[in-house]
Amino acid sequence: MIASEQVGFGLFGALVLLATHRSSPFVLASGLSSWAPFVFGFFGGLCVGGAALALLRARASGAIGTPASQRFEKARAALAACCLVAGVFSAAGAFSFGVGISALGMPWSFGGVIAGVATSALLAQWAERFGSLSRRAAFAKSGAACLVAAALSALAAVLPESAAFALVAVEAAAAAVLLFAGEPFGSPPPSDDATTSEDAAAHASSHASERAPGRSALAFAAAVWRPAAGALICLFVFGLTWDTDRLGAPLNDGALLAFEKVAGFAAAGLVVGLLARREGERDLLETLVGFVLPLLLVTFIVRPYLLDFVVDPIALGLIGFARETGFALFLAAAWLALSTHARACGLPPAFAMALFAALAGASGLAGLYSLPVLGAASTFVGAVLFTLYLVIVVVASMAQRGRLSARDAQAIERQGFERFIEARSDELAERFSLTPRERDIVVHLGRGHSYAYIAGELVVSENTVRTHVRNMYRKMGVSSREELLEMIHGA
């Protein structure tokens, strides 16, 4: 369908950025302290909504894909889009729900909670849509969606507040319409000629995983933990550093602040889109570990030392750009890993994304609540967390390579041993005029197999095997297996 995924998901992403990012025109107009209850409520709603939706998906996974369930999914998506808009409008002062929540000593706005729950539902719906794409198409459309979100964020930054309200409503309506376009929810990935061999392998893995759900979950966890853990750390740091007023961090304002977010998401979109032309996921993970993580580390190590200085706005903008690019790439990597691997491992993409939404909400909340506790030390936490993450990823990668190398070495050693036994058996058969069947039995005995095993392999009785062995011993001049093995392994 014409660009339904990239435009629709880009619209949804832009809406979430407008609702939560500290450079949003709504946040700048209201002030960080005034908007903070919405952000607390948003992450709380994301956590609760994601957990509830994951439970519902786990119980109703067998019914997904039926016409009735698809009508229900579309109705729920439309309701979620309306709730997200209503929550944002409420926080921006367009109207008020008149209800507030206090949790662990912090105020949560009811509008924020509603917006967070709605976001978890819409994320699950979009995961189903992207899960029905080939992996290459998912990369390309995710990259394009980042570019759409960046463009709309730039537009919102230059519009007056009343026009920004109208933009939010239009974005939500268009995103909901485009979400309903295209393939039905729960459709399997396409299997046409454009599908890559990587996708075909994923489809085959899907059929196999249906027979082994435990292994499917482990395979899924092994495939997604690196990008998912990195994205959760990003969300924790996002919450920890959201209120820059309380943090006392230097921050650009106006056009330069908007530039950091817009340019960061645009750069991430270009990287993901370019990787769609290659194998994709492996290259993206290598980019994250080899380039993005060190960039984030430098950003979080350098920035605390700038707190006591007047820093050039351009330098601040470059630091902010590096940070936003890193965050956007980690979120994109987690999104792609979750949405594309879930179906390949026999799991509903909506379930995987709902579970991640719950963890994402919890990570954001943990960051928001940690700022008053950590105080000035908060400025160094990002560097510490990303350093630990980098060490864990490198150690895990080395261990994985070590296991693969050990397996390869064992396989090579085994293949060499097999070839050696085959060659020696041929020599002995020729030297002692053994029959083809006797030669086969020499091979099995050289490999250490029992008479029962040999009988099963050759489809004869054990007595027949014993008769062949006696004849072999007579021809070769040996009286036991030990002597036979010495002859096989001898010079």
Side-chain angles (χ1 to χ4, degrees), residues 32 53 123 128 209 219 253 274 300 352 378 396 423 450 479:
L32 290 174
L53 191 57
L123 275 173
E128 282 291 326
S209 64
D253 54 15
L274 290 173
F300 283 103
S378 300
S450 66
S479 58

Side-chain angles (χ1 to χ4, degrees), residues 1-12 57 70 72-82 118-132 171-186 335:
M1 307 298 301
I2 11 179
S4 61
E5 285 87 6
Q6 54 264 52
V7 175
F9 191 56
L11 289 166
F12 168 66
R57 289 279 180 171
Q70 288 180 24
F72 176 68
E73 297 294 343
K74 291 183 176 182
R76 183 161 56 186
L79 178 62
C82 294
T119 298
S120 67
L122 290 168
L123 275 173
Q125 299 288 358
W126 278 112
E128 282 291 326
R129 176 54 41 75
F130 274 74
S132 67
E171 285 177 358
V177 169
L178 290 170
L179 179 58
F180 301 150
E183 296 298 323
F185 293 108
W335 164 259

Side-chain angles (χ1 to χ4, degrees), residues 332-414:
W335 164 259
L336 286 163
L338 289 160
S339 58
T340 60
H341 278 290
R343 200 179 296 282
C345 293
L347 298 172
F351 167 78
M353 192 55 63
L355 193 59
F356 179 76
L359 295 173
S363 297
L365 276 180
L368 289 166
Y369 276 105
S370 296
L371 175 57
V373 176
L374 296 173
S378 300
T379 55
F380 297 94
V381 169
V384 172
L385 288 177
F386 283 117
T387 301
L388 288 174
Y389 174 75
L390 181 59
V391 169
I392 292 171
V393 167
V394 170
V395 170
S397 298
M398 291 174 60
Q400 184 178 23
R401 289 195 191 99
R403 286 195 298 271
L404 291 175
S405 299
R407 289 197 201 104
D408 291 343
Q410 290 173 358
I412 292 169
E413 184 179 351
R414 181 70 179 172

